[in-house]
Amino acid sequence: MELTTAFHHTVRGEHQNLAATISRLRELTATGDFAYFVNVAHFKAGLLLPGPSASVP
Protein backbone atom coordinates (compact mmCIF):
# COMPACT_ATOMS: atom_id res chain seq x y z
CA MET A 1 0.00 0.00 0.00
CA GLU A 2 2.83 2.42 0.81
CA LEU A 3 4.31 1.96 -2.67
CA THR A 4 0.98 2.96 -4.22
CA THR A 5 0.74 5.92 -1.86
CA ALA A 6 4.24 7.04 -2.89
CA PHE A 7 3.19 6.97 -6.54
CA HIS A 8 0.03 8.96 -5.69
CA HIS A 9 2.08 11.67 -3.94
CA THR A 10 4.49 11.76 -6.89
CA VAL A 11 1.70 12.33 -9.40
CA ARG A 12 0.17 15.05 -7.24
CA GLY A 13 3.52 16.76 -6.62
CA GLU A 14 3.20 16.36 -2.84
CA HIS A 15 6.92 16.23 -2.04
CA GLN A 16 6.67 16.32 1.76
CA ASN A 17 4.08 13.55 1.80
CA LEU A 18 6.21 11.57 -0.64
CA ALA A 19 9.25 11.86 1.63
CA ALA A 20 7.21 10.69 4.62
CA THR A 21 5.80 7.75 2.67
CA ILE A 22 9.24 6.67 1.45
CA SER A 23 10.49 6.88 5.03
CA ARG A 24 7.66 4.60 6.20
CA LEU A 25 8.33 2.26 3.31
CA ARG A 26 12.01 2.10 4.26
CA GLU A 27 11.06 1.22 7.87
CA LEU A 28 8.62 -1.48 6.74
CA THR A 29 11.21 -3.11 4.49
CA ALA A 30 14.20 -2.75 6.83
CA THR A 31 14.37 -6.53 7.34
CA GLY A 32 15.18 -6.98 3.67
CA ASP A 33 11.81 -8.32 2.56
CA PHE A 34 10.58 -6.24 -0.37
CA ALA A 35 13.42 -3.71 0.14
CA TYR A 36 13.38 -3.11 -3.60
CA PHE A 37 10.07 -1.25 -3.11
CA VAL A 38 12.12 1.70 -1.83
CA ASN A 39 14.10 1.64 -5.07
CA VAL A 40 10.88 1.52 -7.10
CA ALA A 41 9.42 4.48 -5.19
CA HIS A 42 12.57 6.54 -5.82
CA PHE A 43 12.61 5.59 -9.50
CA LYS A 44 8.92 6.45 -10.03
CA ALA A 45 9.45 9.81 -8.30
CA GLY A 46 12.57 10.57 -10.33
CA LEU A 47 14.70 10.68 -7.18
CA LEU A 48 18.20 9.36 -6.63
CA LEU A 49 18.70 6.83 -3.87
CA PRO A 50 20.27 8.52 -0.84
CA GLY A 51 22.78 5.70 -0.49
CA PRO A 52 23.41 2.09 -1.39
CA SER A 53 20.34 0.02 -2.07
CA ALA A 54 19.21 -2.21 0.78
CA SER A 55 17.93 -4.75 -1.74
CA VAL A 56 21.38 -5.56 -3.14
CA PRO A 57 23.59 -7.59 -0.80
Side-chain angles (χ1 to χ4, degrees):
M1 185 67 176
E2 293 295 337
L3 184 58
T4 302
T5 303
F7 182 66
H8 171 78
H9 292 313
T10 298
V11 170
R12 295 187 52 109
E14 299 169 343
H15 303 291
Q16 289 180 333
N17 291 338
L18 173 62
T21 301
I22 289 176
S23 179
R24 283 192 309 273
L25 188 57
R26 187 173 284 112
E27 289 174 19
L28 291 170
T29 61
T31 62
D33 292 337
F34 303 99
Y36 64 93
F37 281 4
V38 175
N39 297 358
V40 172
H42 277 88
F43 175 75
K44 290 285 190 178
L47 302 172
L48 296 175
L49 289 172
S53 172
S55 66
V56 179

